[in-house]
Amino acid sequence: MRILFLIIIFFACLSASSQNTFRYIDLDSLKWGLKDFSGKTIIDARYSKIDPLKNGRYVVSKKPMQQGIIDEKGNEILACEYFSIYDEAKDTIIVRKGGKQGVLNTQLDWIIPLKYKYLLKQKESYIVAEENLVGILDANLNLTVPMMYSTIYYPNSLENDYFLVKKGSKSGLIDINNNIIIPIEHDFLSYMESFNYYIGGNAVGVLESQTKVFDSEAKVILSLNNNGVNILTKDRFAVKNNKNLWGVFDKKSKQKIDYQYNMILASEENFYIVQNNELKWGAIDDENNIIIPFLYSEYFNFQYSEPFHFEAKATFVKNKLGKYGFIDKKGIATTEFKYDSTIRLSNGCFLVKIDNKSGLVDKNGKELIKPFYDFINTSSDDILIVGKDKKYYFLKLDNLSVDNKIGYDYIDSFMSNDSDKEFILVRKDGLYGFIDINENIVIPIIYENARPFIDNFASVKLNGKNYIINKSGEKLLHL
């Protein structure tokens, strides 16, 4: 019998629920089983699929769409008769059978029987569906919102546990007891999480809507006939008229800036990035004074959110010759317009390139590294990995010189937490090992192959043999 240990999957088991066992596959039967760290078989290869669940348990499949649960000893504690099983929250398991869903606790007692076509846990409540109607079960599993809505959405409000609902073609807002917070009379209603506001409205013409902005308590703070609303700040709103021009209004529906721009976007309070009717971008203040001249054909910004959140004091713009440079919030250039391309990085800096060589500009618009390297990547807020002539180096923002630095054949750049920074996989002279962020060797560079640590374990190859090691370098298992 040929057996293949899938190391990546083994680690997925460990990280999911800290099991003392891991999965293996028999390549002859293509069935899955379980072994412990000593290599002892706990379950022979009999399942078509095994996935980690929680509390040392696994979801197993004997046949497609026939799932059950086994414990760490291999005992089948939930029969393989369910279409799907997954742990939707830390203390519950959602199962589906015969087109119905129900909920089990970790002791496998039924919390909600197999009754609903659809259910989704939201904090302490459940959104549930029967046929084509949706309701809500509260924390005590009472149906406090009857099955009367076509859709229910929990917007994760910062202050209130409200639900966006739709009944027929109209939308509104309710609480867990089905009390109406915003009347169910709007053609559209959405939640703006960044401001904790709701925007709703109704069509009053082909190109016009009557739009309202509600605060977190559902109080109307803006009501206008318009063709679109964009929330700029807590107190300012960009509004588009039926000629597709944008202006700015305050919370009292008073117009602050006339309808004259193609687009208005906020970067911060009293600083709006706008596009004029000549399709050029610039910036204005709350009094419509020009802060950054309308010189740029591409949109720019000083605020960055997903996937990296930071505020820059300078940002890149493209001039009429197609070259990028950096300007500050007064429109003053902080670098030459010489870069072919630029990309923001996770630490707030910008990767810049000239003739395919990479450099670095910080969020203040200062060039830290002239375009010189073949490769630059950020591993954390203060660590860079740079590559030149097939050698890779660790650099820190406070010391960007490669003088007297060790050049590696490979450096693993994934560091999602502090633990990763203490055990960084590297390759030097064809061999693998682990170092910390100060380039101290923490596990010798002696292995023919290795993979990064996941939790406290890594797979390595030494003298032609595969092992699992811990962070002390001890061999726990020979594969």
Side-chain angles (χ1 to χ4, degrees):
M1 180 175 66
R2 298 182 300 147
I3 294 176
L4 171 67
F5 291 92
L6 298 185
I7 304 303
I8 297 175
I9 298 175
F10 157 76
F11 285 130
C13 291
L14 292 174
S15 61
S17 51
S18 300
Q19 279 100 328
N20 295 315
T21 55
F22 60 94
R23 296 168 285 176
Y24 71 93
I25 187 170
D26 173 9
L27 289 180
D28 291 321
S29 65
L30 296 180
K31 298 291 186 180
W32 291 84
L34 289 181
K35 288 182 178 287
D36 65 17
F37 283 127
S38 70
K40 178 183 176 182
T41 299
I42 305 301
I43 299 177
D44 58 10
R46 71 178 77 154
Y47 294 107
S48 60
K49 189 176 181 181
I50 298 180
D51 290 314
L53 189 59
K54 59 180 66 172
N55 299 330
R57 297 169 175 178
Y58 295 88
V59 176
V60 296
S61 299
K62 289 182 177 178
K63 295 180 180 179
M65 296 177 288
Q66 290 185 8
Q67 295 187 354
I69 299 176
I70 61 172
D71 63 20
E72 203 166 19
K73 295 180 180 180
N75 300 311
E76 195 169 292
I77 55 179
L78 188 67
C80 291
E81 58 184 38
Y82 295 92
F83 179 84
S84 64
I85 299 174
Y86 60 96
D87 48 348
E88 202 268 349
K90 68 178 182 178
D91 56 351
T92 57
I93 300 167
I94 293 182
V95 298
R96 177 185 287 273
K97 181 181 178 181
K100 302 293 185 181
Q101 285 184 296
V103 179
L104 299 164
N105 62 21
T106 52
Q107 288 74 45
L108 302 185
D109 299 319
W110 288 101
I111 300 174
I112 301 174
L114 285 166
K115 177 181 179 181
Y116 297 104
K117 183 178 179 181
Y118 167 85
L119 60 83
L120 177 67
K121 188 168 187 180
Q122 297 288 0
K123 288 190 175 179
E124 299 303 317
S125 60
Y126 287 88
I127 297 174
V128 293
E130 285 183 334
E131 301 304 327
N132 296 318
L133 295 176
V134 187
I136 300 175
L137 300 174
D138 67 9
N140 297 316
L141 303 181
N142 297 312
L143 191 66
T144 55
V145 176
M147 301 289 187
M148 58 185 293
Y149 298 104
S150 53
T151 60
I152 297 179
Y153 169 68
Y154 180 67
N156 198 26
S157 169
L158 300 176
E159 297 178 14
N160 299 300
D161 285 336
Y162 294 151
F163 296 84
L164 290 167
V165 297
K166 192 168 185 178
K167 190 175 182 181
S169 63
K170 298 298 182 180
S171 298
L173 192 71
I174 63 170
D175 66 13
I176 189 66
N177 296 309
N178 204 29
N179 296 310
I180 303 297
I181 308 300
I182 295 177
I184 305 171
E185 61 186 22
H186 298 87
D187 293 337
F188 62 89
L189 183 66
S190 60
Y191 176 63
M192 308 299 291
E193 183 176 359
S194 299
F195 302 95
N196 205 17
Y197 285 166
Y198 301 88
I199 296 181
N202 292 286
V204 294
V206 177
L207 295 176
E208 195 169 53
S209 297
Q210 202 276 325
T211 303
K212 295 178 181 178
V213 177
F214 304 85
D215 64 16
S216 60
E217 299 297 327
K219 178 183 176 182
V220 177
I221 56 176
L222 180 74
S223 180
L224 290 170
N225 283 6
N226 58 79
N227 195 25
V229 173
N230 178 30
I231 301 177
L232 302 174
T233 69
K234 276 282 191 180
D235 302 307
R236 294 292 184 267
F237 308 89
V239 178
K240 183 168 65 171
N241 66 10
N242 57 13
K243 295 181 180 180
N244 288 327
L245 294 176
W246 291 82
V248 175
F249 287 76
D250 64 15
K251 290 171 67 172
K252 297 180 180 180
S253 299
K254 179 182 178 182
Q255 189 158 17
K256 303 291 292 183
I257 296 175
D258 291 339
Y259 294 113
Q260 59 183 289
Y261 294 108
N262 285 356
M263 181 61 70
I264 301 177
L265 302 170
S267 181
E268 58 188 66
E269 198 81 32
N270 198 27
F271 187 91
Y272 311 125
I273 297 170
V274 298
Q275 185 189 56
N276 66 13
N277 57 11
E278 296 177 349
L279 304 182
K280 297 294 184 181
W281 290 91
I284 60 173
D285 65 13
D286 209 31
E287 302 299 323
N288 203 22
N289 298 309
I290 295 175
I291 302 174
I292 297 177
F294 292 89
L295 300 174
Y296 306 108
S297 58
E298 292 185 0
Y299 165 72
F300 57 88
N301 197 4
F302 292 89
Q303 293 275 1
Y304 294 93
S305 53
E306 298 295 338
F308 318 119
H309 179 74
F310 63 89
E311 179 181 347
K313 292 183 179 179
T315 194
F316 60 88
V317 291
K318 189 177 184 179
N319 69 9
K320 61 183 179 180
L321 299 177
K323 294 294 183 180
Y324 290 91
F326 286 76
I327 60 171
D328 64 18
K329 292 179 180 178
K330 294 181 180 179
I332 299 173
T334 63
T335 69
E336 298 178 51
F337 281 80
K338 60 182 182 179
Y339 304 112
D340 299 327
S341 64
T342 179
I343 302 172
R344 60 190 171 107
L345 300 175
S346 60
N347 64 353
C349 294
F350 299 86
L351 174 69
V352 293
K353 286 191 174 185
I354 297 178
D355 295 331
N356 216 28
K357 295 297 181 182
S358 298
L360 196 72
V361 172
D362 70 11
K363 60 186 178 182
N364 297 316
K366 178 182 178 182
E367 187 178 77
L368 301 179
I369 300 175
K370 294 183 181 298
F372 168 78
Y373 291 103
D374 302 322
F375 171 89
I376 295 180
N377 191 21
T378 53
S379 293
S380 65
D381 288 346
D382 60 344
I383 299 174
L384 301 172
I385 296 173
V386 300
K388 180 70 175 174
D389 299 329
K390 297 183 180 181
K391 289 293 182 182
Y392 297 88
Y393 304 86
F394 265 117
L395 297 182
K396 294 186 177 180
L397 289 180
D398 59 359
N399 181 11
L400 294 172
S401 172
V402 297
D403 294 342
N404 302 317
K405 288 281 188 178
I406 298 173
Y408 297 95
D409 305 328
Y410 168 82
I411 300 174
D412 179 50
S413 62
F414 180 76
M415 300 179 200
S416 61
N417 53 53
D418 290 338
S419 176
D420 293 329
K421 299 175 186 177
E422 300 303 318
F423 291 86
I424 303 164
L425 177 64
V426 296
R427 184 178 72 235
K428 187 175 185 298
D429 300 328
L431 296 176
Y432 292 82
F434 295 84
I435 63 174
D436 63 20
I437 57 173
N438 296 312
E439 298 188 69
N440 299 310
I441 296 175
V442 292
I443 292 179
I445 304 175
I446 59 174
Y447 300 103
E448 293 125 54
N449 205 344
R451 295 188 64 85
F453 275 93
I454 298 180
D455 285 348
N456 297 310
F457 304 95
S459 64
V460 297
K461 185 176 184 179
L462 182 65
N463 298 325
K465 296 180 179 180
N466 295 309
Y467 299 92
I468 300 299
I469 63 171
N470 61 19
K471 288 186 173 179
S472 297
E474 298 171 328
K475 301 184 188 73
L476 300 180
L477 184 64
H478 171 219
L479 304 178

